[in-house]
mmCIF file of all heavy atoms in Angstrom:
data_model
loop_
_atom_site.group_PDB
_atom_site.id
_atom_site.type_symbol
_atom_site.label_atom_id
_atom_site.label_comp_id
_atom_site.label_asym_id
_atom_site.label_seq_id
_atom_site.Cartn_x
_atom_site.Cartn_y
_atom_site.Cartn_z
ATOM 1 N N PRO U 513 -23.844 28.813 21.286
ATOM 2 C CA PRO U 513 -24.786 29.312 22.298
ATOM 3 C C PRO U 513 -25.591 28.164 22.917
ATOM 4 O O PRO U 513 -25.975 27.219 22.226
ATOM 5 C CB PRO U 513 -25.703 30.246 21.494
ATOM 6 C CG PRO U 513 -24.904 30.619 20.285
ATOM 7 C CD PRO U 513 -24.063 29.429 19.975
ATOM 8 N N ARG U 514 -25.817 28.251 24.196
ATOM 9 C CA ARG U 514 -26.564 27.212 24.892
ATOM 10 C C ARG U 514 -28.024 27.215 24.434
ATOM 11 O O ARG U 514 -28.621 28.270 24.208
ATOM 12 C CB ARG U 514 -26.483 27.434 26.407
ATOM 13 C CG ARG U 514 -27.126 26.309 27.194
ATOM 14 C CD ARG U 514 -26.757 26.353 28.659
ATOM 15 N NE ARG U 514 -27.472 25.314 29.388
ATOM 16 C CZ ARG U 514 -27.144 24.035 29.379
ATOM 17 N NH1 ARG U 514 -26.093 23.642 28.697
ATOM 18 N NH2 ARG U 514 -27.841 23.146 30.057
ATOM 19 N N ILE U 515 -28.593 26.025 24.296
ATOM 20 C CA ILE U 515 -29.951 25.862 23.766
ATOM 21 C C ILE U 515 -30.892 25.462 24.900
ATOM 22 O O ILE U 515 -30.552 24.609 25.729
ATOM 23 C CB ILE U 515 -29.972 24.771 22.670
ATOM 24 C CG1 ILE U 515 -29.023 25.144 21.531
ATOM 25 C CG2 ILE U 515 -31.382 24.546 22.144
ATOM 26 C CD1 ILE U 515 -28.721 23.991 20.587
ATOM 27 N N ASP U 516 -32.062 26.070 24.913
ATOM 28 C CA ASP U 516 -33.129 25.651 25.833
ATOM 29 C C ASP U 516 -33.764 24.398 25.226
ATOM 30 O O ASP U 516 -34.584 24.490 24.301
ATOM 31 C CB ASP U 516 -34.160 26.776 25.975
ATOM 32 C CG ASP U 516 -35.260 26.447 26.981
ATOM 33 O OD1 ASP U 516 -35.589 25.241 27.142
ATOM 34 O OD2 ASP U 516 -35.808 27.380 27.591
ATOM 35 N N VAL U 517 -33.381 23.232 25.716
ATOM 36 C CA VAL U 517 -33.767 21.968 25.092
ATOM 37 C C VAL U 517 -35.282 21.791 25.058
ATOM 38 O O VAL U 517 -35.856 21.401 24.032
ATOM 39 C CB VAL U 517 -33.100 20.775 25.815
ATOM 40 C CG1 VAL U 517 -33.612 19.455 25.250
ATOM 41 C CG2 VAL U 517 -31.587 20.858 25.679
ATOM 42 N N GLN U 518 -35.935 22.071 26.167
ATOM 43 C CA GLN U 518 -37.387 21.870 26.227
ATOM 44 C C GLN U 518 -38.112 22.752 25.222
ATOM 45 O O GLN U 518 -38.997 22.288 24.486
ATOM 46 C CB GLN U 518 -37.891 22.149 27.647
ATOM 47 C CG GLN U 518 -39.358 21.794 27.852
ATOM 48 C CD GLN U 518 -39.782 21.941 29.324
ATOM 49 O OE1 GLN U 518 -38.981 22.290 30.181
ATOM 50 N NE2 GLN U 518 -41.048 21.667 29.599
ATOM 51 N N LYS U 519 -37.724 24.025 25.169
ATOM 52 C CA LYS U 519 -38.377 24.959 24.243
ATOM 53 C C LYS U 519 -38.073 24.577 22.788
ATOM 54 O O LYS U 519 -38.957 24.612 21.924
ATOM 55 C CB LYS U 519 -37.896 26.389 24.514
ATOM 56 C CG LYS U 519 -38.522 27.429 23.588
ATOM 57 C CD LYS U 519 -38.003 28.818 23.904
ATOM 58 C CE LYS U 519 -38.646 29.860 23.004
ATOM 59 N NZ LYS U 519 -38.400 29.583 21.559
ATOM 60 N N GLU U 520 -36.817 24.221 22.530
ATOM 61 C CA GLU U 520 -36.420 23.885 21.168
ATOM 62 C C GLU U 520 -37.140 22.627 20.682
ATOM 63 O O GLU U 520 -37.566 22.554 19.530
ATOM 64 C CB GLU U 520 -34.906 23.697 21.094
ATOM 65 C CG GLU U 520 -34.358 23.516 19.692
ATOM 66 C CD GLU U 520 -34.455 24.755 18.815
ATOM 67 O OE1 GLU U 520 -34.812 25.840 19.339
ATOM 68 O OE2 GLU U 520 -34.195 24.642 17.605
ATOM 69 N N CYS U 521 -37.276 21.637 21.548
ATOM 70 C CA CYS U 521 -38.001 20.418 21.170
ATOM 71 C C CYS U 521 -39.458 20.724 20.821
ATOM 72 O O CYS U 521 -40.015 20.159 19.876
ATOM 73 C CB CYS U 521 -37.939 19.389 22.300
ATOM 74 S SG CYS U 521 -36.357 18.535 22.414
ATOM 75 N N LYS U 522 -40.040 21.625 21.572
ATOM 76 C CA LYS U 522 -41.425 22.017 21.302
ATOM 77 C C LYS U 522 -41.517 22.733 19.956
ATOM 78 O O LYS U 522 -42.427 22.473 19.156
ATOM 79 C CB LYS U 522 -41.937 22.931 22.418
ATOM 80 C CG LYS U 522 -43.413 23.313 22.265
ATOM 81 C CD LYS U 522 -43.886 24.181 23.417
ATOM 82 C CE LYS U 522 -45.346 24.579 23.230
ATOM 83 N NZ LYS U 522 -45.819 25.459 24.322
ATOM 84 N N ASP U 523 -40.563 23.629 19.680
ATOM 85 C CA ASP U 523 -40.551 24.352 18.401
ATOM 86 C C ASP U 523 -40.372 23.381 17.231
ATOM 87 O O ASP U 523 -41.019 23.527 16.184
ATOM 88 C CB ASP U 523 -39.423 25.383 18.391
ATOM 89 C CG ASP U 523 -39.692 26.557 19.325
ATOM 90 O OD1 ASP U 523 -40.844 26.686 19.796
ATOM 91 O OD2 ASP U 523 -38.747 27.329 19.600
ATOM 92 N N ILE U 524 -39.485 22.393 17.397
ATOM 93 C CA ILE U 524 -39.242 21.408 16.337
ATOM 94 C C ILE U 524 -40.498 20.588 16.081
ATOM 95 O O ILE U 524 -40.882 20.343 14.935
ATOM 96 C CB ILE U 524 -38.064 20.478 16.708
ATOM 97 C CG1 ILE U 524 -36.751 21.256 16.712
ATOM 98 C CG2 ILE U 524 -37.980 19.304 15.735
ATOM 99 C CD1 ILE U 524 -35.588 20.470 17.290
ATOM 100 N N GLU U 525 -41.154 20.164 17.162
ATOM 101 C CA GLU U 525 -42.366 19.358 17.013
ATOM 102 C C GLU U 525 -43.441 20.128 16.268
ATOM 103 O O GLU U 525 -44.131 19.581 15.395
ATOM 104 C CB GLU U 525 -42.875 18.924 18.390
ATOM 105 C CG GLU U 525 -44.052 17.968 18.304
ATOM 106 C CD GLU U 525 -44.408 17.361 19.647
ATOM 107 O OE1 GLU U 525 -43.616 17.497 20.601
ATOM 108 O OE2 GLU U 525 -45.479 16.742 19.740
ATOM 109 N N GLU U 526 -43.585 21.416 16.578
ATOM 110 C CA GLU U 526 -44.576 22.251 15.891
ATOM 111 C C GLU U 526 -44.218 22.395 14.414
ATOM 112 O O GLU U 526 -45.091 22.336 13.539
ATOM 113 C CB GLU U 526 -44.658 23.621 16.561
ATOM 114 C CG GLU U 526 -45.319 23.585 17.931
ATOM 115 C CD GLU U 526 -45.290 24.941 18.630
ATOM 116 O OE1 GLU U 526 -44.691 25.890 18.060
ATOM 117 O OE2 GLU U 526 -45.857 25.056 19.734
ATOM 118 N N LEU U 527 -42.917 22.586 14.128
ATOM 119 C CA LEU U 527 -42.469 22.715 12.745
ATOM 120 C C LEU U 527 -42.741 21.446 11.948
ATOM 121 O O LEU U 527 -43.299 21.491 10.840
ATOM 122 C CB LEU U 527 -40.958 23.026 12.717
ATOM 123 C CG LEU U 527 -40.271 22.981 11.345
ATOM 124 C CD1 LEU U 527 -40.773 24.118 10.469
ATOM 125 C CD2 LEU U 527 -38.755 23.061 11.497
ATOM 126 N N MET U 528 -42.367 20.290 12.525
ATOM 127 C CA MET U 528 -42.517 19.024 11.814
ATOM 128 C C MET U 528 -43.994 18.654 11.651
ATOM 129 O O MET U 528 -44.400 18.120 10.612
ATOM 130 C CB MET U 528 -41.780 17.913 12.559
ATOM 131 C CG MET U 528 -40.275 18.127 12.648
ATOM 132 S SD MET U 528 -39.484 18.255 11.033
ATOM 133 C CE MET U 528 -39.603 16.558 10.473
ATOM 134 N N THR U 529 -44.801 18.952 12.656
ATOM 135 C CA THR U 529 -46.241 18.676 12.564
ATOM 136 C C THR U 529 -46.862 19.508 11.455
ATOM 137 O O THR U 529 -47.681 19.019 10.659
ATOM 138 C CB THR U 529 -46.937 18.974 13.905
ATOM 139 O OG1 THR U 529 -46.362 18.149 14.922
ATOM 140 C CG2 THR U 529 -48.428 18.700 13.806
ATOM 141 N N SER U 530 -46.485 20.778 11.392
ATOM 142 C CA SER U 530 -46.999 21.673 10.359
ATOM 143 C C SER U 530 -46.620 21.174 8.966
ATOM 144 O O SER U 530 -47.450 21.163 8.048
ATOM 145 C CB SER U 530 -46.455 23.084 10.579
ATOM 146 O OG SER U 530 -46.796 23.934 9.509
ATOM 147 N N ARG U 531 -45.374 20.749 8.817
ATOM 148 C CA ARG U 531 -44.923 20.242 7.514
ATOM 149 C C ARG U 531 -45.664 18.966 7.129
ATOM 150 O O ARG U 531 -46.028 18.773 5.963
ATOM 151 C CB ARG U 531 -43.423 19.958 7.553
ATOM 152 C CG ARG U 531 -42.563 21.201 7.502
ATOM 153 C CD ARG U 531 -41.105 20.811 7.461
ATOM 154 N NE ARG U 531 -40.247 21.979 7.471
ATOM 155 C CZ ARG U 531 -38.925 21.911 7.564
ATOM 156 N NH1 ARG U 531 -38.338 20.723 7.658
ATOM 157 N NH2 ARG U 531 -38.201 23.006 7.568
ATOM 158 N N HIS U 532 -45.862 18.088 8.110
ATOM 159 C CA HIS U 532 -46.549 16.828 7.834
ATOM 160 C C HIS U 532 -47.987 17.088 7.395
ATOM 161 O O HIS U 532 -48.481 16.469 6.444
ATOM 162 C CB HIS U 532 -46.519 15.946 9.084
ATOM 163 C CG HIS U 532 -47.050 14.567 8.863
ATOM 164 N ND1 HIS U 532 -46.376 13.622 8.124
ATOM 165 C CD2 HIS U 532 -48.209 13.975 9.279
ATOM 166 C CE1 HIS U 532 -47.077 12.505 8.101
ATOM 167 N NE2 HIS U 532 -48.189 12.691 8.791
ATOM 168 N N GLU U 533 -48.661 17.993 8.066
ATOM 169 C CA GLU U 533 -50.040 18.321 7.711
ATOM 170 C C GLU U 533 -50.109 18.949 6.325
ATOM 171 O O GLU U 533 -51.032 18.668 5.554
ATOM 172 C CB GLU U 533 -50.628 19.266 8.758
ATOM 173 C CG GLU U 533 -50.871 18.587 10.109
ATOM 174 C CD GLU U 533 -51.275 19.565 11.191
ATOM 175 O OE1 GLU U 533 -51.220 20.798 10.940
ATOM 176 O OE2 GLU U 533 -51.655 19.114 12.291
ATOM 177 N N GLU U 534 -49.131 19.790 6.014
ATOM 178 C CA GLU U 534 -49.088 20.434 4.697
ATOM 179 C C GLU U 534 -48.878 19.389 3.599
ATOM 180 O O GLU U 534 -49.492 19.461 2.533
ATOM 181 C CB GLU U 534 -47.960 21.472 4.661
ATOM 182 C CG GLU U 534 -47.962 22.359 3.433
ATOM 183 C CD GLU U 534 -49.205 23.224 3.309
ATOM 184 O OE1 GLU U 534 -49.735 23.672 4.364
ATOM 185 O OE2 GLU U 534 -49.662 23.450 2.167
ATOM 186 N N LYS U 535 -48.041 18.394 3.873
ATOM 187 C CA LYS U 535 -47.774 17.349 2.882
ATOM 188 C C LYS U 535 -49.034 16.516 2.639
ATOM 189 O O LYS U 535 -49.322 16.133 1.500
ATOM 190 C CB LYS U 535 -46.640 16.452 3.368
ATOM 191 C CG LYS U 535 -46.213 15.393 2.370
ATOM 192 C CD LYS U 535 -44.860 14.811 2.719
ATOM 193 C CE LYS U 535 -43.751 15.773 2.411
ATOM 194 N NZ LYS U 535 -42.403 15.159 2.545
ATOM 195 N N ILE U 536 -49.776 16.232 3.696
ATOM 196 C CA ILE U 536 -51.024 15.470 3.549
ATOM 197 C C ILE U 536 -52.026 16.252 2.689
ATOM 198 O O ILE U 536 -52.696 15.690 1.826
ATOM 199 C CB ILE U 536 -51.627 15.149 4.932
ATOM 200 C CG1 ILE U 536 -50.750 14.124 5.656
ATOM 201 C CG2 ILE U 536 -53.050 14.622 4.788
ATOM 202 C CD1 ILE U 536 -51.163 13.868 7.090
ATOM 203 N N LYS U 537 -52.095 17.566 2.913
ATOM 204 C CA LYS U 537 -52.994 18.410 2.109
ATOM 205 C C LYS U 537 -52.614 18.358 0.634
ATOM 206 O O LYS U 537 -53.476 18.255 -0.244
ATOM 207 C CB LYS U 537 -52.946 19.859 2.605
ATOM 208 C CG LYS U 537 -53.646 20.107 3.922
ATOM 209 C CD LYS U 537 -53.531 21.583 4.323
ATOM 210 C CE LYS U 537 -54.159 21.832 5.682
ATOM 211 N NZ LYS U 537 -53.982 23.263 6.094
#
Side-chain angles (χ1 to χ4, degrees):
R514 186 166 176 77
I515 301 166
D516 183 330
V517 174
Q518 187 174 359
K519 180 180 181 301
E520 187 68 8
C521 283
K522 184 178 179 182
D523 289 348
I524 292 170
E525 186 170 348
E526 289 175 357
L527 171 68
M528 297 301 289
T529 300
S530 173
R531 285 183 183 174
H532 187 71
E533 290 172 352
E534 190 63 35
K535 184 164 286 189
I536 290 173
K537 287 180 183 177

